[in-house]
Amino acid sequence: MRYLPMRRSKLVGTEGPGSLVISPEGETAVVGALDLWFKDSFGNKAKNIEEFAVHEPRLKAILKVDKFYTPPEFRKGSTNSMEVVPNSNLVMPLMRFPKWHYCSSCRSLRELELDQTSVYLDCPKCNQKRYYKQVPFIVICEHGHLSDFPWRKWVHGNEETKCEGNLVIQMSGGTTLDSWRIVCEKCKKSRDLQRVTSFDKDNNTSYLGDQLNKDKAGKYTCEGERPWCDDKKEECSAAPVAILRNSISVYMSKKISALAIPGDYSENIDLIVSKIQSPAKHLVRTNLSLLDSLENKIKFIRENLRFELKEEVTDQEIQDALMYIQSGDEYEFTEEELEKPGLLIKEKEFEKLTSAVNSRELKVEPEWEFDKDEDVKSNYYKPYLQRLSRVLKLKETTALYGFDRKDYKNTNTIEYSNYYPSLYKDFESAHEKWLPVNEVYGEGIFLQLNLEKVMEWESSPEVQKYFTSYLKRTGHVEHRDDSILKPRNIMLHTLSHFLIDELANVCGYNRASIRERLYLDEAQTGVLIYISAGDSEGTLGGLVRLGLEGKFFHILDKAKNNAEWCSSDPVCTELGKTQGQGVNGLNGAACYNCSHIPETSCEFWNLYLDRSLLIDSKIGYFK
């Protein structure tokens, strides 16, 4: 495959290993496995990838891997032999996929190689050089395999066919799949693509698997291809599903993120820790590990960080920082704690967000807190809230640990490590088990609801009756996320979406740049709405200034009023109360016209939303 420009942040997300990326010309390629990363175009391994190492002890202890690395940036090598550019000419591995193409003139099908660079080839039928287009269909399965559509097997209705005749696509100009017909010029057999993308969720079968073999001798199963690794196949018995190559179901990344939390130390110690663990200080860390005595390590840090440390930093603070780094890397959570890793990560974050913090990587300023003695008659919303804080600075580390195809699975019931082999060509032989991460700085607004008021609302007979009906309606869903299945959590999630919509109208950032981070444990009920798209110095304050008491409650009022009406009403509200909306009916009164935001901004892929729990006259929290 030829070179394509790629963003490093997307390599830890929608364009991770095993995903399809598209070029400006419309060609697609699959991103290579992790054990093919950190190599140049000639296959030479980078000499010192420690430069890209990231230290995040909490994530490391939960994911149980050896290292985290950021995707490498491309650095052009110097033409001057005396100048050495470290880790130069590193490229991401890309393989051409799908391999099947058709001639732009005669529409003859042809299978190319994974490493094919040019698509201007000699066409045997046209007898001249032609441009070859990639076919729009590929095949996926629930086990993560990615295969070419079986064109030859499909047209002959037999997966054991031996016919090697030239295949030609005949297009009748329609917009449906039956307007595509594949013809074998040798045996004259032909077949259209009608219903080829259909699959039965309830029985976990597909039209392609059931109907490919016309003689009904047996079902056609997934061929187990992993083109992001090599041409080898592995056994798979899953039902193959034909799908458009640009469909969102082809690659659904599995990520977990954590905010950088300062230790229970002074600001000076946190400053030393952040400097030593910075990706730019890999040489400092390397040389530090070669020193034996603590005295030499302290002296070494003073010499190498003399321009970055404050003058009043003491030897004891440097010693405490070194001990913190050592203990952090070796920290392990118990099996009981790891049963709910998402809650485990957010427990410490919630503790910091509900207090005043002023460290290098996290700055939290409490703005307002509910006081029973305060006169709140002039503000309708204050009794419903517990706390409002402005997060002036934060750092988020996001790790990619796997991906799903076809259906997004709930990770609460699946071990993270079960996904790791899908990212590697040969996971068992990998010298070092590592995952790609991305670090970003940002700002945000933290909002916590009044727990006493929430419990009173949630226990009311009307809310309980409504939510019992919701649970009964969605009880059949296989990969349902039980961590959010409470009225308070769905209500808070919906409120978060409307706040993001309204904040985007005012703060200057678009909706795709604003994200939510929900805190849903028993005693939490809070949400952090934040920007994480800035550089190493953070963002420009456009969002955090709206967290001032004088501005935020006005925005909250507009968000609540927006939730009261949808352009699809009364259909949206009525469907939400009766049969549900969205994937598997997991949404109530929530649709694209009212509650949905970009899926990269939402923790639950625009699921588990319901305006009724927010503003309904009988069951709404803000009724």
Side-chain angles (χ1 to χ4, degrees), residues 269-280:
I269 295 177
D270 286 326
L271 174 62
I272 299 168
V273 171
S274 65
K275 285 298 180 184
I276 295 176
Q277 292 184 339
S278 169

Side-chain angles (χ1 to χ4, degrees), residues 72-185:
E73 61 185 2
F74 180 77
R75 302 168 186 165
K76 193 171 183 179
S78 175
T79 55
N80 186 352
S81 59
M82 300 299 292
E83 182 182 357
V84 177
V85 179
N87 293 319
S88 60
N89 298 319
L90 296 183
V91 295
M92 299 306 301
L94 293 178
M95 294 80 166
R96 177 174 294 278
F97 192 86
K99 295 182 289 183
W100 280 90
H101 295 60
Y102 63 93
C103 174
S104 56
S105 178
C106 67
R107 296 197 176 99
S108 294
L109 280 165
R110 180 175 179 179
E111 187 176 13
L112 306 183
E113 298 297 326
L114 287 173
D115 58 353
Q116 181 75 36
T117 54
S118 174
V119 288
Y120 288 93
L121 305 169
D122 291 326
C123 176
K125 189 173 181 180
C126 298
N127 288 322
Q128 58 181 297
K129 195 175 286 292
R130 296 291 191 188
Y131 173 66
Y132 273 78
K133 298 180 181 179
Q134 281 178 308
V135 294
F137 301 104
I138 57 173
V139 174
I140 61 174
C141 85
E142 60 185 354
H143 296 155
H145 295 124
L146 183 67
S147 308
D148 275 290
F149 186 84
W151 300 99
R152 195 171 298 282
K153 297 174 182 179
W154 175 258
V155 70
H156 292 96
N158 181 7
E159 61 180 307
E160 303 295 336
T161 182
K162 303 296 183 183
C163 181
E164 295 294 330
N166 183 50
L167 303 181
V168 177
I169 299 174
Q170 293 180 352
M171 301 180 186
S172 58
T175 58
T176 57
L177 290 174
D178 58 0
S179 65
W180 274 54
R181 176 169 290 275
I182 315 303
V183 178
C184 176
E185 292 185 329

Side-chain angles (χ1 to χ4, degrees), residues 380-604:
Y380 170 81
Y381 297 99
K382 284 188 175 180
Y384 293 90
L385 308 180
Q386 179 63 39
R387 179 178 286 102
L388 174 66
S389 297
R390 296 188 303 137
V391 184
L392 278 69
K393 191 171 186 179
L394 60 85
K395 186 181 82 168
E396 181 189 36
T397 302
T398 303
L400 174 76
Y401 62 86
F403 59 85
D404 284 327
R405 301 200 199 276
K406 185 183 170 187
D407 292 313
Y408 190 83
K409 301 179 181 63
N410 175 24
T411 315
N412 290 342
T413 58
I414 301 174
E415 284 283 340
Y416 291 120
S417 57
N418 291 348
Y419 281 99
Y420 300 166
S422 65
L423 299 176
Y424 283 81
K425 178 179 179 180
D426 188 356
F427 180 69
E428 297 300 327
S429 301
H431 174 67
E432 192 175 61
K433 306 297 190 292
W434 66 276
L435 295 175
V437 297
N438 184 46
E439 289 185 306
V440 289
Y441 288 80
E443 60 179 276
I445 300 172
F446 177 72
L447 178 69
Q448 183 185 7
L449 300 184
N450 188 325
L451 190 58
E452 186 177 327
K453 197 84 172 176
V454 166
M455 293 175 67
E456 178 187 341
W457 164 78
E458 194 175 44
S459 59
S460 66
E462 293 86 357
V463 174
Q464 287 295 315
K465 181 181 178 181
Y466 178 83
F467 200 69
T468 300
S469 175
Y470 170 85
L471 292 177
K472 185 177 179 180
R473 187 181 75 226
T474 60
H476 70 284
V477 181
E478 183 178 357
H479 298 297
R480 196 175 61 174
D481 195 328
D482 294 335
S483 67
I484 195 175
L485 289 181
K486 286 186 179 180
R488 67 174 77 176
N489 296 342
I490 294 179
M491 177 270 294
L492 178 64
H493 187 207
T494 310
L495 174 62
S496 169
H497 279 218
F498 281 99
L499 281 173
I500 288 174
D501 259 336
E502 189 56 38
L503 287 167
N505 293 335
V506 183
C507 73
Y509 292 102
N510 60 50
R511 293 194 305 165
S513 298
I514 308 176
R515 300 183 189 177
E516 65 180 4
R517 192 167 181 82
L518 298 164
Y519 297 87
L520 306 177
D521 206 3
E522 283 294 328
Q524 294 181 350
T525 319
V527 59
L528 173 66
I529 298 174
Y530 67 104
I531 302 289
S532 61
D535 60 12
S536 61
E537 294 302 319
T539 47
L540 300 175
L543 176 66
V544 78
R545 68 181 176 86
L546 299 178
L548 294 169
E549 182 181 349
K551 297 182 178 180
F552 180 79
F553 285 102
H554 177 65
I555 289 172
L556 176 59
D557 181 60
K558 293 187 71 174
K560 180 254 183 185
N561 291 337
N562 290 339
E564 292 181 351
W565 183 82
C566 171
S567 60
S568 294
D569 274 340
V571 176
C572 178
T573 301
E574 290 176 357
L575 282 179
K577 290 182 177 180
T578 54
Q579 65 188 56
Q581 301 183 84
V583 179
N584 295 318
L586 289 171
N587 285 340
C591 68
Y592 283 101
N593 294 318
C594 56
S595 308
H596 288 200
I597 59 175
E599 289 186 342
T600 52
S601 301
C602 175
E603 282 199 13
F604 293 96

Side-chain angles (χ1 to χ4, degrees), residues 6-43:
M6 304 182 70
R7 293 181 61 183
R8 298 171 71 196
S9 58
K10 283 193 173 184
L11 289 166
V12 188
T14 56
E15 295 181 359
S19 67
L20 293 180
V21 295
I22 187 167
S23 73
E25 293 76 25
E27 300 174 50
T28 57
V30 62
V31 180
L34 290 181
D35 34 7
L36 303 178
W37 287 26
F38 296 107
K39 294 181 179 180
D40 62 18
S41 55
F42 300 103

Side-chain angles (χ1 to χ4, degrees), residues 213-232:
N213 292 311
K214 286 186 175 180
D215 58 3
K216 306 293 182 181
K219 290 187 176 182
Y220 172 68
T221 58
C222 172
E223 299 199 8
E225 292 185 19
R226 303 174 74 221
W228 63 97
C229 301
D230 49 34
D231 283 323
K232 294 180 181 178

